[in-house]
Amino acid sequence: MELQQDPTLLWFIAIYGIIMIGIGVFMSKKVAGSEDFVLAGKSLGPFVLMGTLLATWTGSGSISGGETSMAFSYGIIPSFIMMLPTLIGIIVLYVVAPKIREHGKFTVSGILEAKYGRTSRNIASVIIILAYVGIVSYQMKGFGFILNLTTGMSVEAGTMIGAGMIIFLAMIGGLRSVSQTDAISGFLMVGGLIITVPTIFIVAGGWSEIVANVPKSHMSATGGLTTIQMIGYLLPSLFLLLGDQNMYQRLASSKGNKAAKRAQIGWLIAMIVISPSISLIAFASRSLFPNIDPGMALMATTIAMPVAIGGILLAAAASFIITTGNSYLLSAATNLTYDLYGKYVNKDASDKKLLSMTRIFIVMLGILAFVIISYFPTVLSVQMYAYTVYGAGLTPAVLAVFFWKRVNAVGGVSSMIAGVVATLTWEIILGKPFDVNSVVVAVPVAVIVLIVGTLLTTDNYQTRQVTSNA
């Protein structure tokens, strides 16, 4: 089937954009201070919280990378397997959520500082900013894919428009507005996918026709990937989710533990619907459009379906891309404001000043994200890189705060440094040997250094602590 633009679909994107901007402007008027901007005044109920968790996690990483690229490039079974890290991560966060709320911190860096000291906070802030700017960058490109499909506009120009929307929505109302637009987007996406799956299978001629038009390897358990390569695709999303500052901030923004638990259960159920649906749609797209960029697989199906259904799916895809982008951009800017600016540049900054600086940093980091995406060949490549920098650099140290009382500053800080160094060495210096993602090396290195560093220094570290306290 020929991939031809359908400008009619642009109306659905335009309507979605107008609604989101309207909500953002309206909710921005309710922002009373920095806590309102960053944590929505800790007022999120279960339905809004579920929607914002769902929309923040499932963005361009799933729609242009993740399950979509995996189904298109390697087959349906590997794509289904990509759902497992998310389900496991949600279950673990369900256990950790009450402890997250107890800490009452704006950032993951603040949680780490309470356990490991100021050095860990500084390192964590840099890691979060590097990883989150990368994640924001491929949300922008995902929106560029959408405009390319609908209008024929170049992906680069569409990416620029996506960057503008992401930056604006994050800047205007913070989490107070982002959480509301996220919730609407989350429910829109679930509905859009449920409608699309049976429709695209009818358009593609049914399961037997789809299977006949894809490579034989796409029906195997690994799609031609080795076990190590498959693990390399699974671990980054798991370790990002387990330590994701966005999720921690949202759980801390809930009305209470009861609301957080209900929201997480709803999130889990929604992901059981969303992930397989994305996989099936992208797999059908492989049969219809065998020669397109893997990142465009899901969105390409919008032009093969009736305009109303294609438009709903496209608007839903756009919604997840925009909401994920502004969420990660807001979170990265929060680190710059509270962990660097507020700690070192202006320790006596007023609440109003912190709020204005957060908005300025949102714009600066948004521009940086737009520049970065031009250096990565595919959405999946930058996704795996960004996830691993964060997952290996922070997650082992963060989880140890909640699950291992014995862990100390030496183990935590050393683990963070080791995770980042291992990732950069494998990806940049060694050039990603054997085509295996760096997470396979970086996460084990970070965990080993955490354990060994703690065990070797526990007695000496405790002795110094007692001496300094005396």
Side-chain angles (χ1 to χ4, degrees):
M1 182 179 290
E2 291 287 332
L3 186 61
Q4 297 178 341
Q5 285 77 33
D6 185 357
T8 305
L9 295 171
L10 188 59
W11 284 103
F12 292 86
I13 304 297
I15 292 170
Y16 161 76
I18 292 170
I19 292 173
M20 292 300 102
I21 291 172
I23 293 172
V25 172
F26 175 77
M27 295 304 299
S28 69
K29 297 177 181 179
K30 297 186 177 183
V31 175
S34 60
E35 183 172 294
D36 256 3
F37 194 82
V38 176
L39 295 180
K42 296 185 177 181
S43 63
L44 301 186
F47 289 106
V48 173
L49 182 57
M50 182 192 81
T52 192
L53 288 168
L54 175 62
T56 299
W57 181 245
T58 311
S60 189
S62 295
I63 293 167
S64 298
E67 293 96 321
T68 296
S69 290
M70 186 65 71
F72 189 92
S73 301
Y74 301 108
I76 191 65
I77 298 176
S79 186
F80 280 159
I81 294 173
M82 287 288 286
M83 175 176 62
L84 295 179
T86 297
L87 301 184
I88 294 170
I90 294 173
I91 293 170
V92 174
L93 286 179
Y94 183 87
V95 176
V96 176
K99 297 179 181 180
I100 294 172
R101 286 184 55 79
E102 286 175 11
H103 276 79
K105 304 292 184 181
F106 282 173
T107 63
V108 163
S109 306
I111 294 174
L112 292 170
E113 182 184 35
K115 183 69 176 181
Y116 304 127
R118 180 178 294 182
T119 300
S120 68
R121 182 180 190 130
N122 297 338
I123 295 172
S125 296
V126 173
I127 293 172
I128 291 169
I129 291 167
L130 286 174
Y132 281 11
V133 168
I135 292 171
V136 172
S137 72
Y138 63 75
Q139 310 303 322
M140 295 174 176
K141 189 166 187 177
F143 197 81
F145 282 150
I146 287 179
L147 293 186
N148 174 261
L149 276 173
T150 54
T151 67
M153 181 188 301
S154 69
V155 173
E156 291 74 18
T159 301
M160 186 177 297
I161 294 173
M165 283 194 66
I166 288 170
I167 292 170
F168 177 78
L169 288 173
M171 180 185 67
I172 191 168
L175 190 59
R176 175 69 76 175
S177 61
V178 166
S179 62
Q180 304 300 317
T181 56
D182 278 2
I184 294 172
S185 299
F187 294 118
L188 174 63
M189 191 60 178
V190 172
L193 289 172
I194 290 174
I195 295 170
T196 299
V197 172
T199 305
I200 194 61
F201 267 64
I202 293 171
V203 171
W207 179 257
S208 59
E209 185 68 18
I210 293 172
V211 171
N213 290 329
V214 301
K216 290 183 179 180
S217 63
H218 278 44
M219 295 306 298
S220 66
T222 62
L225 293 169
T226 66
T227 301
I228 294 297
Q229 287 174 326
M230 190 68 214
I231 292 173
Y233 283 113
L234 296 176
L235 291 183
S237 57
L238 173 61
F239 277 82
L240 172 66
L241 180 54
L242 290 176
D244 192 345
Q245 178 171 274
N246 262 302
M247 305 307 155
Y248 283 39
Q249 287 178 331
R250 277 152 177 74
L251 293 172
S253 302
S254 68
K255 289 182 177 179
N257 289 332
K258 189 175 181 179
K261 288 181 178 180
R262 288 180 176 177
Q264 287 171 282
I265 292 172
W267 180 24
L268 180 70
I269 294 170
M271 289 308 305
I272 292 173
V273 174
I274 286 176
S275 286
S277 297
I278 292 174
S279 299
L280 290 167
I281 295 168
F283 189 62
S285 182
R286 181 67 172 82
S287 171
L288 294 170
F289 308 103
N291 299 316
I292 62 173
D293 185 305
M296 299 179 73
L298 183 140
M299 288 175 282
T301 61
T302 60
I303 66 171
M305 294 184 289
V307 172
I309 296 176
I312 290 172
L313 177 62
L314 203 60
S319 70
F320 265 9
I321 288 170
I322 294 297
T323 53
T324 298
N326 57 39
S327 293
Y328 278 93
L329 186 55
L330 170 62
S331 194
T334 301
N335 278 98
L336 269 178
T337 301
Y338 292 94
D339 297 332
L340 299 179
Y341 176 81
K343 284 284 184 179
Y344 301 106
V345 179
N346 188 355
K347 295 181 180 180
D348 299 320
S350 65
D351 188 75
K352 185 177 180 180
K353 183 65 174 179
L354 291 174
L355 178 57
S356 66
M357 289 307 300
T358 303
R359 286 181 162 136
I360 291 172
F361 289 139
I362 284 172
V363 176
M364 292 172 57
L365 293 177
I367 293 172
L368 178 60
F370 175 74
V371 173
I372 283 177
I373 191 59
S374 62
Y375 291 96
F376 287 86
T378 66
V379 168
L380 191 59
S381 64
V382 67
Q383 179 186 4
M384 293 297 105
Y385 172 77
Y387 282 17
T388 302
V389 166
Y390 192 103
L394 287 186
T395 301
V398 171
L399 291 180
V401 171
F402 300 120
F403 293 112
W404 193 24
K405 292 182 179 180
R406 188 175 178 181
V407 69
N408 62 26
V410 175
V413 172
S414 299
S415 171
M416 293 161 64
I417 295 172
V420 174
V421 170
T423 300
L424 298 179
T425 300
W426 189 263
E427 293 280 349
I428 298 175
I429 297 176
L430 298 180
K432 199 176 176 181
F434 314 112
D435 199 30
V436 172
N437 288 321
S438 53
V439 68
V440 175
V441 175
V443 168
V445 167
V447 172
I448 291 171
V449 169
L450 176 80
I451 295 171
V452 173
T454 296
L455 295 179
L456 289 179
T457 61
T458 296
D459 292 338
N460 290 334
Y461 179 77
Q462 290 178 341
T463 300
R464 289 198 300 272
Q465 288 291 95
V466 171
T467 301
S468 63
N469 290 336

